[in-house]
Amino acid sequence: FVQDGWQRPQGGDGLSCVLEDGDIFERAGVNFSHVMGVQLPPSATAQRPDLAGCPYEALGVSLVIHPRNPFVPTVHFNIRCFVAHTPTGAVWWFGGGMDLTPYYGFAEDAIHFHQTCYNALGIHASQLYPRFKQACDQYFYLKHRQEPRGIGGIFFDDFNELPFEDCFHLWQSIGDYFLPAYQPIVKKRHTLPYTDAQRDFQAFRRGRYVEFNLVWDRGTLFGLQSQGRTESILVSMPPVVR
């Protein structure tokens, strides 16, 4: 990974890490950011209009991995925490999740990924997994194509219904379960032989990934609206697309 630390003039800093042209991963981007601002951008207050104009802090880790072999799925993972500073005190909430975008699907991989997402939610799984899975299916949907981006996973936003420590531990658990969800799939698929035609189809499907990130993704929009670092925001884009 090439590491690039940065400072934000408006407040905060981060670390962008990018791996390019690897044997297994054609591009992998991992970003950490902790930023402050004087006014929440519109994308962050769409669900919370009462917080419009409030100063804020936002902290998160996000990653996207685009594999070389078309039989290995692209994966996306993100966890984030927002704190809005209001006249009556701090308002906080958590968000995040992980989702899988195969080019050629294997049912056993889908089952493994979703079972691991369920396990990540621990004692809250029976209550939260159906909600978080449905939210993921709804969010990662290309409305203009009327098709899902991938096979989903779990996704949540504006989450503060448990005490802070419980929310934080849930957040940590989702992070801890990312590698067990994705790594076995990579190990199983990355040596499978593939054809040029299959690589072409992978590049075609990656085009849908780009469309979603530029048209619908709230994280991309938040980054741009908050005058974030463009190269870090767009590192999730695949390197080769048709």
Side-chain angles (χ1 to χ4, degrees), residues 166-239:
D166 292 344
C167 286
F168 182 60
H169 289 316
L170 182 71
W171 201 57
Q172 285 180 303
S173 180
I174 291 170
D176 290 338
Y177 273 86
F178 168 71
L179 279 180
Y182 186 56
Q183 196 171 34
I185 299 173
V186 177
K187 287 184 175 181
K188 190 184 301 182
R189 306 296 175 196
H190 81 92
T191 58
L192 294 178
Y194 57 86
T195 65
D196 289 342
Q198 288 163 336
R199 272 286 282 177
D200 285 345
F201 182 71
Q202 178 191 42
F204 166 72
R205 287 298 304 171
R206 281 175 171 177
R208 298 290 205 265
Y209 205 92
V210 172
E211 288 182 23
F212 179 86
N213 279 23
L214 293 181
V215 177
W216 300 109
D217 187 66
R218 283 174 59 188
T220 303
L221 195 59
F222 170 81
L224 297 175
Q225 288 178 347
S226 60
Q227 299 180 321
R229 190 168 178 273
T230 302
E231 289 304 317
S232 299
I233 297 163
L234 298 182
V235 75
S236 63
M237 297 301 171

Side-chain angles (χ1 to χ4, degrees), residues 140-150 205 208:
F140 292 105
Y141 186 78
L142 286 83
K143 301 179 182 68
H144 62 291
R145 297 284 190 185
Q146 297 186 335
E147 64 187 40
R149 186 173 84 172
R205 287 298 304 171
R208 298 290 205 265

